Amino acid sequence: MSTARDKIREKLFPVEVTDVQHYTDRLFTLRTTRPGTFRFEAGEFTMLGLDTGQEVIQRAYSMTNATYDEELSFLSIKVQDGAFTSRLQYVEAGQELLVGKKPTGTLTIDAVAPGRNLYLFSTGTGIAPFMSLIQEPEIYNRYERIVLNHTCRLQAELVYDQYLRAGIHEHPLVGEEAAAQLLYYPTVTREDYYRTGRVTGHLEDGSLWGELGLDKLDPEQDRAMVCGGPDMLETLVDELKSRGFDPGDRGEAGGYAIEKAFVG
Ligand SMILES: Cc1cc2nc3c(=O)[nH]c(=O)nc-3n(C[C@H](O)[C@H](O)[C@H](O)COP(=O)(O)OP(=O)(O)OC[C@H]3O[C@@H](n4cnc5c(N)ncnc54)[C@H](O)[C@@H]3O)c2cc1C
Ligand SMILES: NC(=O)c1ccc[n+]([C@@H]2O[C@H](COP(=O)([O-])OP(=O)(O)OC[C@H]3O[C@@H](n4cnc5c(N)ncnc54)[C@H](OP(=O)(O)O)[C@@H]3O)[C@@H](O)[C@H]2O)c1
């Protein structure tokens, strides 16, 4: 007789953890094998599951890898009393994880119309879907510049900093395009850094585009995607709407698209 646990497992692929890297007491990355039939669009998320033997616990996770990579990768928070990540943070290479068979999401390339500059606004683990998007060759055809903003409380939480400054320029498929078109804009809010404060302040005073040598943000030409905590999402959406941006969704391209990086 099949149990509730078996039924949940039917919707998930078993994968094997191949690598785990810890960055801070709150953040780590994971790599896993990729099932041959697992397909997704850049920017999507799926369920990541852990089978405790008694039950399967699962949570939504964005893939950070490119759609064409051989392995899957994820960026994860560690919530000490969280049912999922209090366990997930202890996984090691060789262990089994489960991956949802039906990835979905609203931060896909077709959710926003082509345009001049694409602004990707993220806080914390909200950068995850954008790591996949910026490895998609198509994004560099659709926009002149891609501005990737990552706002974190602490500098150590800018986990892709080195990759975004240099590593991606060596990427065999999009390295040249990224070097010419991708502009990284980190900011740190709770300690000293060369750029501090919430991105909203940098939007208000125009330093976001000013520092990057771009023309002023323009809803007619520019597009945006937002991924972060509930509070940040609300603030950014209000800000974009007040500047004349219209929402888009997959299937109906608009001026901006959003996804919750976690439920508050
Ligand atoms: C569409 C979507 C995509 C997501 N993608 C990712 C991802 O790529 N990486 C990731 O780490 N999480 C992601 N999450 C959050 C993830 O699903 C879980 O919430 C997270 O794994 C924590 O699970 P938990 O059971 O340990 O704690 P939960 O009980 O789920 O959460 C407890 C509390 O911890 C905080 N929290 C949860 N997740 C985060 C987070 N990511 N960053 C900061 N605070 C958080 C919130 O305050 C939440 O109320 C995503 C959520 C959604 C809805
Ligand atoms: N126990 C710990 O040590 C610890 C540490 C960090 C977080 N947490 C908890 O973990 C959860 C998520 O933390 P997180 O750091 O990933 O996410 P977060 O609290 O949402 O903050 C991430 C970044 O987004 C900024 N931000 C928050 N709201 C914003 C808004 N409305 N507009 C623009 N920027 C905004 C923050 O700036 P500000 O710094 O200005 O808020 C911070 O730089 C929270 O519930 C938090 O209480 C715990």
Side-chain angles (χ1 to χ4, degrees):
M1 204 180 77
S2 78
T3 62
R5 180 169 149 247
D6 295 332
K7 287 208 174 92
I8 293 174
R9 282 193 68 114
E10 278 167 22
K11 295 183 179 153
L12 302 159
F13 287 119
V15 293
E16 187 181 315
V17 176
T18 56
D19 188 48
V20 184
Q21 300 284 335
H22 290 270
Y23 293 87
T24 70
D25 60 351
R26 296 184 66 234
L27 288 173
F28 67 113
T29 54
L30 275 171
R31 295 184 72 83
T32 73
T33 53
R34 179 175 181 166
T37 55
F38 183 82
R39 300 270 179 277
F40 71 101
E41 281 184 52
E44 286 189 324
F45 66 90
T46 192
M47 302 309 287
L48 198 56
L50 261 173
D51 191 338
T52 66
Q54 281 78 47
E55 57 171 341
V56 174
I57 310 174
Q58 40 178 341
R59 291 286 185 275
Y61 270 77
S62 303
M63 280 65 72
T64 59
N65 59 288
T67 51
Y68 45 83
D69 283 343
E70 274 179 29
E71 291 195 326
L72 301 178
S73 58
F74 303 93
L75 168 65
S76 182
I77 193 79
K78 302 174 196 175
V79 182
Q80 295 315 330
D81 57 355
F84 189 64
T85 56
S86 61
R87 293 174 169 89
L88 187 73
Q89 63 185 287
Y90 297 111
V91 297
E92 291 176 356
Q95 275 180 245
E96 181 199 73
L97 282 181
L98 302 163
V99 168
K101 291 179 177 171
K102 291 195 172 156
T104 185
T106 51
L107 292 179
T108 51
I109 214 160
D110 59 359
V112 287
R116 182 180 61 177
N117 300 323
L118 174 66
Y119 287 80
L120 305 174
F121 294 102
S122 65
T123 53
T125 58
I127 194 171
F130 300 147
M131 293 308 296
S132 182
L133 271 171
I134 60 168
Q135 296 179 72
E136 216 44 45
E138 175 61 13
I139 207 163
Y140 296 97
N141 296 331
R142 287 167 71 106
Y143 305 97
E144 290 172 23
R145 293 280 197 282
I146 291 121
V147 177
L148 176 51
N149 159 244
H150 194 196
T151 306
C152 291
R153 294 178 172 206
L154 308 174
Q155 182 177 350
E157 294 171 345
L158 299 169
V159 296
Y160 298 110
D161 193 77
Q162 282 309 307
Y163 181 69
L164 293 169
R165 289 177 193 281
I168 193 169
H169 301 164
E170 308 303 318
H171 192 290
L173 202 59
V174 298
E176 233 173 89
E177 290 80 356
Q181 294 169 255
L182 179 66
L183 303 170
Y184 172 53
Y185 193 90
T187 177
V188 165
T189 55
R190 304 243 177 146
E191 65 181 7
D192 277 351
Y193 188 60
Y194 74 89
R195 186 183 295 114
T196 55
R198 292 180 169 192
V199 76
T200 31
H202 298 260
L203 271 164
E204 274 155 28
D205 68 11
S207 51
L208 174 54
W209 46 90
E211 277 181 43
L212 298 172
L214 301 176
D215 288 337
K216 187 179 176 204
L217 183 71
D218 174 7
E220 296 299 321
Q221 306 182 66
D222 299 327
R223 310 289 173 243
M225 289 189 179
V226 190
C227 191
D231 201 56
M232 171 270 196
L233 272 177
E234 198 181 319
T235 310
L236 263 286
V237 166
D238 287 350
E239 178 71 29
L240 289 168
K241 280 187 179 161
S242 74
R243 288 176 180 271
F245 283 79
D246 295 320
D249 206 335
R250 53 191 313 160
E252 201 181 326
Y256 75 90
I258 64 161
E259 190 110 78
K260 284 197 180 82
F262 59 91
V263 180

